[in-house]
């Protein structure tokens, strides 16, 4: 098995000062809501999921960081316990029905649906907290992004059912959503008490930055979890290394290629977010800083959590990061579904493209409840 080399990371690390308490509260929350089977829950509470959230949002409101930590615990309970490790992970039709009912709970938590289901009960609690800690728009986006995640994991289940491996282009598109990264984005705003205005949220460069963050986070996860997946998968696993191997590369070359892909995207992500920070509103500057923390926090957790280091059969992961990318060329990767990311840096300043009535208000961040 090819060792994972130190990965390029130009983003400084940080962690919320209450990370230890957040992690303990998430373990308690998982027990109180009976997340997953007893065996799965015993594994999950050892993975430092609260520490993950504390790395992703190192400077945000503690109560929102706690909501993020508990939500990630819920996601692992669903993803590990239902979508991957149970027979439902090979039954896309049945999985669709379960996910749609859970989505309805998230959308309408007062609906008398799945009254005795632990995942539904925990999701109701999470939705109540999202409503309390954010705006109506942020809650609606959170549910919409959860729907994107559900749609993509059903797509993955169809490949698991058939034992097929998607093309690199299809896998890239699926991976932008089945890693549930987009569901975290509204919480990045909530944690700092602001809401992006539509003219910035929907700008192509902002959408590209979000997707690049998702790409780097999920590629890193694929690279760092490869050892775990190959040793524990029930006859089928899917990550970028396996996709590249299906396209004719051996494992060593697949590793080199995947690392180069994430390096080139990460290099462009830095260029785009630098531009947005220089030319956007105070809210947008805070948002792209949040995207960067999400990327780096995922990296730090990925090389340190027992979920991936697997101490009983060491994965041989790096213990740190390097300062130089293996590929920082400014040209797009040869993946058609994401080629547009390299077309978003305009010649004119970002603010010049905004209508006068759309310019951000003076006075810094807009606070919300």
């Amino acid at each position: 098995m090819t060792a994972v080399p130190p990965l390029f990371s130009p983003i400084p690390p940080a962690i919320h000062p209450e990370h230890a308490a957040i992690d303990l509260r998430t373990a308690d929350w998982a027990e109180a809501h009976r997340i997953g089977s007893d065996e799965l829950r015993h594994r999950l509470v050892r993975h430092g999921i609260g520490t993950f959230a504390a790395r992703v949002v190192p400077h945000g409101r503690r109560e929102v960081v706690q909501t993020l930590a508990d939500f990630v615990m819920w996601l692992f309970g669903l993803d590990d316990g239902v979508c991957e490790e149970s027979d439902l992970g090979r039954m896309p039709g049945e999985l669709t029905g379960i996910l749609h009912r859970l989505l309805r709970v998230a959308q309408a938590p007062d609906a008398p649906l799945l009254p005795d289901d632990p995942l539904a009960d925990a999701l109701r609690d999470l939705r109540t907290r999202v409503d309390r800690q954010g705006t109506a728009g942020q809650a609606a986006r959170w549910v919409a992004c959860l729907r994107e995640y559900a749609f993509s994991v059903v797509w993955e289940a169809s490949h698991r059912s058939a034992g097929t491996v998607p093309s690199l282009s299809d896998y890239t598109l699926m991976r932008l959503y089945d890693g549930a990264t987009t569901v975290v984005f509204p919480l990045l705003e909530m944690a700092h008490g602001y809401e992006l205005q539509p003219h910035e949220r929907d700008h192509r460069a902002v959408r590209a930055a979000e997707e690049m963050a998702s790409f780097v986070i999920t590629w890193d996860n694929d690279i760092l979890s490869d050892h775990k997946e190959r040793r524990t998968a029930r006859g089928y696993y899917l990550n970028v290394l396996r996709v590249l191997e299906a396209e004719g590369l051996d494992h060593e070359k697949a590793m080199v290629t995947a690392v180069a892909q994430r390096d080139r995207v990460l290099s462009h992500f830095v260029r785009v977010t630098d531009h947005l920070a220089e030319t956007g509103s105070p809210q947008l500057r805070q948002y792209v800083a949040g995207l960067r923390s999400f990327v780096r926090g995922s990296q730090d957790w990925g090389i340190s959590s027992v979920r991936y280091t697997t101490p009983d059969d060491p994965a041989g992961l790096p213990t740190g990061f390097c300062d130089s990318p293996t590929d920082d060329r400014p040209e797009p990767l040869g993946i058609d579904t994401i080629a547009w990311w390299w077309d978003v840096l305009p010649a004119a300043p970002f603010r010049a493209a905004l209508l006068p009535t759309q310019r951000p208000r003076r006075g810094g961040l807009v606070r919300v409840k």
Side-chain angles (χ1 to χ4, degrees):
M1 190 69 63
T2 304
V4 178
L7 300 173
F8 166 59
S9 186
I11 304 165
I15 190 168
H16 197 281
E18 297 188 51
H19 60 91
I22 291 167
D23 197 49
L24 288 174
R25 291 190 192 102
T26 292
D28 290 343
W29 184 85
E31 292 291 344
H33 289 277
R34 296 178 293 124
I35 299 297
S37 67
D38 290 345
E39 189 276 332
L40 174 60
R41 189 164 61 253
H42 177 72
R43 279 190 280 131
L44 291 177
V45 299
R46 297 174 54 242
H47 291 170
I49 293 171
T51 303
F52 166 76
R55 291 187 183 280
V56 169
V57 187
H59 308 297
R61 293 188 290 169
R62 183 205 54 77
E63 63 271 22
V64 180
V65 182
Q66 190 68 61
T67 297
L68 173 58
D70 295 350
F71 175 56
V72 174
M73 175 66 77
W74 182 89
L75 279 170
F76 278 131
L78 175 64
D79 203 58
D80 288 3
V82 177
C83 300
E84 292 191 2
E85 296 181 8
S86 77
D87 291 337
L88 288 167
R90 291 171 169 80
M91 304 165 67
E94 288 78 0
L95 183 61
T96 299
I98 289 172
L99 293 175
H100 268 290
R101 287 188 283 275
L102 285 172
L103 284 168
R104 188 58 176 172
V105 169
Q107 187 179 45
D110 294 332
L113 193 64
L114 303 174
D116 301 315
D117 184 277
L119 286 174
D121 175 66
L123 187 57
R124 286 188 175 91
D125 175 65
L126 290 166
R127 173 59 198 265
T128 298
R129 290 153 68 184
V130 167
D131 285 340
R132 184 174 64 247
Q133 295 166 3
T135 68
Q138 287 165 339
R141 284 192 297 278
W142 183 73
V143 174
C145 292
L146 195 60
R147 186 176 295 109
E148 291 178 337
Y149 159 77
F151 185 68
S152 63
V153 297
V154 169
W155 187 6
E156 183 179 6
S158 69
H159 282 289
R160 189 179 293 109
S161 174
T164 53
V165 177
S167 68
L168 179 60
S169 180
D170 276 353
Y171 180 73
T172 301
L173 180 57
M174 184 170 71
R175 201 70 174 107
L176 292 177
Y177 303 103
D178 77 349
T181 51
T182 63
V183 199
V184 175
F185 294 157
L187 297 173
L188 300 180
E189 298 179 26
M190 290 163 50
H192 292 278
Y194 70 94
E195 186 169 24
L196 279 182
Q197 297 299 305
H199 67 278
E200 288 190 316
R201 175 183 309 288
D202 298 329
H203 196 278
R204 291 183 79 241
V206 177
R207 290 192 292 110
E210 291 175 335
E211 290 194 0
M212 285 187 279
S214 293
F215 181 99
V216 174
I217 291 166
T218 54
W219 249 236
D220 284 351
N221 181 258
D222 283 1
I223 291 166
L224 296 174
S225 69
D226 181 60
H227 175 79
K228 175 186 88 72
E229 292 191 339
R230 289 176 188 261
R231 68 191 283 268
T232 61
R234 299 168 59 213
Y236 183 89
Y237 67 93
L238 185 59
N239 61 34
V240 65
L241 300 178
R242 188 172 189 200
V243 170
L244 291 170
E245 288 168 13
E247 298 201 346
L249 303 183
D250 62 27
H251 188 264
E252 181 177 1
K253 183 61 175 175
M255 179 69 73
V256 170
T257 301
V259 170
Q261 288 171 338
R262 57 85 67 194
D263 283 3
R264 197 189 304 186
V265 172
L266 180 53
S267 298
H268 189 54
F269 170 78
V270 170
R271 288 191 290 268
V272 172
T273 53
D274 278 348
H275 170 76
L276 293 172
E278 290 170 0
T279 57
S281 69
Q283 293 90 345
L284 185 56
R285 288 197 294 274
Q286 179 66 71
Y287 188 64
V288 298
L291 292 177
R292 289 191 182 206
S293 291
F294 190 7
V295 170
R296 180 59 196 249
S298 299
Q299 293 167 342
D300 285 319
W301 183 70
I303 66 169
S304 59
S305 173
V306 297
R307 180 175 177 86
Y308 306 115
T309 61
T310 59
D312 59 323
D313 179 17
L317 302 184
T319 57
F321 299 90
C322 64
D323 297 328
S324 301
T326 62
D327 184 351
D328 62 355
R329 287 174 291 170
E331 296 84 11
L333 291 174
I335 304 175
D336 54 5
T337 52
I338 61 173
W340 68 274
W341 294 346
W342 280 265
D343 298 328
V344 300
L345 289 178
F350 182 71
R351 284 185 184 273
L354 306 180
L355 297 175
T357 57
Q358 295 176 315
R359 293 190 182 278
R361 286 179 281 177
R362 296 184 182 275
L365 301 183
V366 177
R367 303 299 299 180
V368 298
K369 64 180 180 179

